[in-house]
DNA sequence: TCCGTTCTAGAATATTCGCCG
DNA sequence: TCGGCGAATATTCTAGAACGG
């Protein structure tokens, strides 16, 4: 990915540019989910995440790990305060992690991370988020809001009373709507 | 509410004060050791909107109209660029209006606004958003995504809430019926 | 509470001492849940939290708010790195917040906090966590892992239907109110 | 059994964008 | 073109679940 290799060249104003390039590669639109029947659009979050991790200017803060299979947040403070607000509308690490989980990323509990408590990096992984494999991004799926169906029974008595009142109200509203229309015609 | 009338008096530190007042009015839990979840909390958007419109420092940009029944955005440019980013995570007027619609606000097409096209102010209205009536805010309901909500905790409490809402609706319908009759006689 | 008044006197090593004193007051054991039939033991977390907030040595990092009804984490960085490991076995803000929620604390969204610009303080509240009222602590209950029994469940489906109808009605009433206002203006 | 820590998910609101009458 | 809305993603706050002490 020559494009991504260049990302580190400049400091500012680069963000938009690299994102736009990625968009043209992945069929992502910065602004729109896009309705074109073309390639599956990659969500903006994933595109930004890719640029984020790929950008060697951030390598002290967030970067691919040596094997290219995972990435780590090396400096939580700077990542939260410097990187996040440049890409997103917030600077909360928890919001960023919520997005990662929403897209199926899992935290990696490596031995290093587990042993060295206070200084451990935050490491995440996804089977379709690999260094040098941007074409895999389109396979990362956002989890959908599952609709729970749970059945039981409530005190039917009180509920019935409420339902009756509801019907009265509905009738009243229909009536008033009709009156309104009538008056409008009369005017 | 006399207190809210005073809100506009000062410039800074105003937010804390008005917020405390709002909390005490809405039962947003800054006050009492009472244990229950208390009254339904008012969404942040509505609270912000109220302070926004109420703040006389913004009166050149957004303000109540003379009758206190509606409010208008008087200076679209300044509202978008100055006010919005101070309260929200964006500076798009369309996003702001989407929120208004989501909470049931309607654009007012008054004759003045309708006639003078290019210079017309943007005027909005909601039956429970009235100057001097902050206690009505809790009746403004966000429209639901038609997905099932609150599957988990329901009981007699929730049923009671539904009943309370029913009463509010019944009052509203009586009121409207009265207004209709009045108008009919006037015609 | 004379004990708490002394908390601020010294700087270090005081922690254990004040905690022990509180334990003797509240019947809390630092090490064990204690089975004594005496006063309800206050969980260690709550005791530590109280000392944490009360200690004026931490007042730049975490402190009661002016009304004594809520407390705020003023310096997230220092709180995470300096305070947390002194009281708990970790230095993760998210773990601390998880505990707060587990005991029923709720985040306070004040307007000041809501303003986008300022990296606002993190403010929490609990009806039984009040400045100068340590005797209320024993009323704060940890949420239990509820094993859902079918019997305990109430009919969510039917109630949900009623709620949905209610929302439709509310929407309809708002609409009609709007129409009425429009007609009034036109007349 | 209860509490503490961690990782992930649920639920509600917020922001964006396009459709439709 | 305009106002209102559906739908998808984004952000926030809280809860579920697994594990250990």
């Amino acid at each position: 990915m020559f494009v991504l290799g260049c990302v580190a060249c400049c400091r500012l104003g680069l963000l938009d540019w690299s994102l736009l390039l990625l968009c043209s590669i992945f069929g992502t639109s910065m602004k729109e989910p896009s309705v074109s029947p073309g390639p599956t659009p990659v969500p903006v979050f994933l595109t930004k995440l890719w640029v984020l991790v790929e950008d060697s200017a951030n390598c002290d803060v967030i970067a691919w790990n040596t094997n290219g299979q995972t990435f780590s947040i090396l400096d939580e403070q700077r990542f939260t305060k410097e990187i996040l607000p440049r890409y997103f509308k917030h600077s909360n690490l928890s919001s960023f992690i919520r997005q990662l989980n929403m897209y199926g990323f899992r935290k990696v509990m490596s031995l290093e991370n587990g042993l060295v408590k206070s200084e451990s990096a935050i490491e995440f992984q996804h089977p379709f988020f690999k260094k040098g494999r941007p074409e895999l991004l389109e396979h990362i799926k956002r989890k959908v809001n599952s609709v729970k169906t749970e059945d039981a029974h409530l005190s039917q008595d009180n509920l019935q009373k409420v339902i009756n009142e509801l019907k009265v109200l509905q009738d009243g509203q229909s009536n008033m709507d009709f009156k309104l229309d009538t008056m409008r015609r009369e005017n």
Side-chain angles (χ1 to χ4, degrees), chain A:
Chain A
M1 295 297 101
F2 65 100
V3 177
L4 299 168
C6 300
V7 164
C9 301
C10 357
R11 306 293 317 164
L12 241 29
L14 182 62
L15 180 56
D16 294 338
W17 187 67
S18 57
L19 274 178
L20 282 177
L21 279 173
L22 278 175
C23 291
S24 65
I25 293 174
F26 299 140
T28 303
S29 168
M30 285 293 289
K31 293 299 179 183
E32 3 163 9
S34 158
V35 277
S36 63
T40 309
V42 175
V44 179
F45 173 77
L46 293 177
T47 308
K48 290 182 177 178
L49 178 63
W50 180 274
V51 175
L52 214 54
V53 178
E54 196 78 12
D55 189 350
S56 67
N58 301 331
C59 66
D60 293 338
V61 181
I62 181 173
W64 290 110
N65 287 313
T66 48
N67 55 10
Q69 302 296 299
T70 67
F71 71 92
S72 289
I73 300 172
L74 305 168
D75 189 331
E76 185 180 321
Q77 307 299 330
R78 289 184 56 198
F79 180 74
T80 300
K81 299 305 176 192
E82 299 175 18
I83 308 293
L84 280 184
R86 277 175 36 208
Y87 289 83
F88 306 101
K89 290 178 181 296
H90 64 85
S91 56
N92 301 316
L93 185 63
S94 60
S95 294
F96 178 73
I97 293 176
R98 184 68 191 91
Q99 282 283 69
L100 288 176
N101 286 323
M102 189 71 92
Y103 282 97
F105 285 74
R106 310 300 295 252
K107 188 162 185 176
V108 178
M109 296 300 287
S110 68
L111 286 183
E112 313 171 27
N113 294 342
L115 292 180
V116 188
K117 270 215 156 182
S118 56
E119 298 299 332
S120 67
I122 303 172
E123 185 176 0
F124 275 90
Q125 164 271 343
H126 190 288
F128 292 135
F129 194 78
K130 305 294 181 185
K131 184 176 185 178
R133 304 291 303 280
E135 75 281 3
L136 295 178
L137 286 185
E138 65 176 309
H139 296 114
I140 301 179
K141 295 305 175 189
R142 193 178 202 269
K143 298 181 180 180
V144 285
N145 288 348
S146 64
V147 179
K148 289 195 300 183
T149 51
E150 208 166 319
D151 252 326
H153 30 275
L154 168 65
S155 62
Q156 210 65 18
D157 284 350
N158 291 332
L159 190 56
Q160 192 56 50
K161 292 177 185 172
V162 177
I163 291 174
N164 292 336
E165 292 301 320
L166 260 183
K167 289 181 179 171
V168 173
L169 272 178
Q170 288 168 335
D171 282 348
Q173 208 165 81
S174 296
N175 250 327
M176 223 162 334
D177 214 23
F178 175 73
K179 291 179 186 174
L180 264 180
D181 280 348
T182 304
M183 285 188 61
R184 188 176 299 121
R185 279 193 213 88
E186 291 173 351
N187 285 346

